[in-house]
Amino acid sequence: MVENVVTLNTQAIEFASNGQYPEAIACLKRAISLEKHNYLLWYNLGITYRDAGNLREAKRALLRAHEIETDDDEVIETLALICFNQGCNEEALSYCLEGLAKNAQNAHLWNTIGVIYFNTSEFNLACEAFENAVTINSYYYDALFNLRDTYEELGNKVGYEQCVKQMKNIQLGENSFSGDTSNA
């Protein structure tokens, strides 16, 4: 059987989904040796290292993916989250702002900015970021959850209750789509 990048990448994804990270990493490294400038392979390697708990190697792979393809939102967002998880808030914020300069409608990047600000107790800035995320996607549950907590920190009871209501509506909508007929 001839090795090719698609087969190796698919095999790596299967290994990673089963928690077999060393095998997944080996497949991805082999694929990269065949196609060094394929940013998706580097991105998948970064994700696999992250899932395996190796943030240092995850960041290295993601930096390479970002170097090859500077406009991919997912690469930038994942890189920001890795930096945040390493305690590098300024660097994480920098990647978020870079991503938003390319796509101001990325609700996930706004949410990540909010998380950074929330964790540094800058609640007004966190609130603004979460509100942007929710304005872009009113069904973004994580951003609503974070906004609710931020409103609580700021003492905004009306905003808090609005978030709770929207979160319940989302949960009810999920139940109706999942075939749950208990309310019928």
Side-chain angles (χ1 to χ4, degrees):
M1 181 170 107
V2 176
E3 282 186 324
N4 67 57
V5 171
V6 173
T7 303
L8 287 165
N9 187 53
T10 301
Q11 195 172 23
I13 291 168
E14 289 175 20
F15 280 135
S17 69
N18 292 322
Q20 297 172 288
Y21 301 117
E23 294 85 352
I25 290 166
C27 285
L28 288 165
K29 285 183 173 182
R30 177 68 185 132
I32 288 168
S33 75
L34 300 173
E35 263 184 51
K36 289 176 180 38
H37 299 289
N38 184 329
Y39 86 96
L40 290 173
L41 295 174
W42 286 100
Y43 174 73
N44 287 345
L45 182 62
I47 295 294
T48 304
Y49 273 126
R50 178 202 66 195
D51 293 350
N54 188 338
L55 296 183
R56 187 175 61 82
E57 289 301 320
K59 184 176 179 181
R60 285 182 51 186
L62 290 165
L63 284 169
R64 182 67 180 120
H66 184 54
E67 182 181 301
I68 296 166
E69 176 52 66
T70 59
D71 292 330
D72 189 293
D73 285 2
E74 285 186 62
V75 172
I76 294 169
E77 179 186 345
T78 306
L79 194 49
L81 288 169
I82 294 291
C83 291
F84 172 74
N85 287 326
Q86 291 179 315
C88 304
N89 290 337
E90 291 299 318
E91 191 176 3
L93 190 57
S94 175
Y95 283 117
C96 288
L97 295 174
E98 176 188 336
L100 288 172
K102 296 170 189 214
N103 179 7
Q105 297 301 305
N106 185 318
H108 292 274
L109 288 170
W110 281 114
N111 186 61
T112 301
I113 287 174
V115 169
I116 293 166
Y117 284 137
F118 187 93
N119 281 288
T120 57
S121 300
E122 297 178 70
F123 299 117
N124 286 320
L125 292 172
C127 183
E128 184 179 330
F130 293 136
E131 286 174 344
N132 281 327
V134 171
T135 298
I136 293 165
N137 180 356
S138 61
Y139 295 96
Y140 188 2
Y141 193 88
D142 289 347
L144 279 165
F145 183 92
N146 293 332
L147 181 58
R148 180 202 66 188
D149 288 355
T150 306
Y151 282 151
E152 184 175 40
E153 289 291 332
L154 293 171
N156 182 341
K157 293 179 183 182
V158 172
Y160 179 92
E161 289 303 321
Q162 287 175 332
C163 288
V164 169
K165 182 180 177 185
Q166 179 63 7
M167 291 164 63
K168 285 180 183 175
N169 287 338
I170 291 170
Q171 288 176 326
L172 288 173
E174 288 176 359
N175 287 339
S176 67
F177 291 119
S178 67
D180 182 0
T181 56
S182 61
N183 294 332

